[in-house]
Amino acid sequence: MSEETAIPSEEQQTPVEDNRGQWFVLHTLSGHEKKVCESIKRQICLNDQSGVYEVCVPTHKVVEVRQRQAKVKNQKVFPGYLLVRMDLYDELGEINEKAWFLVRGVQGVLGFLGNVNRPIPLTDQEVKDILGSEEDAAGAPVAMMKFDVGEVVRITNGPFEGFEGTVTEVDGERGLLKVMVSIFGRSTSLELESWQVERVN
């Protein structure tokens, strides 16, 4: 009686992590990052042996206040730049012309960041720092801090809406402000999220 060999189903198969290439910073026309990114992705699909593997526009979520309403949107981390993972150099350290011309030939690409003729790849830590903000985009949004200590602001949301006060502390990491407000003739410190206030002109 022959033994049957179990073949793992598609769900059981572990995807192989693609570690080919190095990450480089690509300079693009401002406002054309997404268009350039999509163009390079199409070229990668058409030329799977080009040595170019991945491209992305790093973003993170921010809270923006417009007309007293807080809206969450994706914001580019580095406007005018995107990241591309590729084998820019061959085994002898020479420029991989196929990969070089695929990327440089895309409309809207101005060039690589750094040395014009011999771009330097990002370090592992730099990649981790930049792409880490991309992964954080799926989590809680980062409040846009536009206030300085000493500024006078008006509360636009919450039980103290309409009150004015002075910013005494800015916590950019958590997106919080401490505002000193006069309530019933007494100075009271309130902790507010930055989208809950607006600058008094």
Side-chain angles (χ1 to χ4, degrees), residues 51-109:
V52 183
Y53 310 113
E54 186 179 355
V55 62
C56 69
V57 180
T59 61
H60 61 175
K61 285 183 180 179
V62 296
V63 175
E64 186 178 71
V65 179
R66 287 186 179 179
Q67 298 177 345
R68 295 195 175 188
Q69 291 188 345
K71 295 181 180 179
V72 178
K73 71 171 189 175
N74 284 328
Q75 184 180 67
K76 292 184 283 288
V77 178
F78 303 113
Y81 297 92
L82 50 81
L83 301 186
V84 58
R85 180 167 59 84
M86 60 191 295
D87 283 322
L88 185 55
Y89 303 107
D90 61 23
E91 296 175 353
L92 299 176
E94 300 296 326
I95 291 288
N96 177 354
E97 292 189 359
K98 186 180 290 187
W100 173 274
F101 287 114
L102 182 148
V103 172
R104 290 299 308 270
V106 172
Q107 187 174 3
V109 172

Side-chain angles (χ1 to χ4, degrees), residues 127-186:
V127 173
K128 184 178 179 181
D129 291 342
I130 296 172
L131 295 185
S133 60
E134 174 83 1
E135 292 172 1
D136 291 342
V142 177
M144 296 179 70
M145 302 299 293
K146 299 180 179 179
F147 306 99
D148 296 317
V149 172
E151 281 194 293
V152 178
V153 296
R154 181 182 296 110
I155 300 173
T156 59
N157 181 274
F160 299 101
E161 182 176 352
F163 281 77
E164 292 184 5
T166 303
V167 177
T168 58
E169 189 176 323
V170 178
D171 186 343
E173 191 170 275
R174 294 192 298 156
L176 298 175
L177 301 172
K178 282 190 177 179
V179 180
M180 190 65 70
V181 179
S182 179
I183 301 175
F184 303 119
R186 296 183 179 181

Side-chain angles (χ1 to χ4, degrees), residues 15-33:
V16 178
E17 186 176 356
D18 191 346
N19 291 318
R20 295 175 295 174
Q22 296 172 299
W23 286 99
F24 294 85
V25 179
L26 202 60
H27 189 194
T28 70
L29 289 171
S30 182
H32 291 229
E33 300 90 349

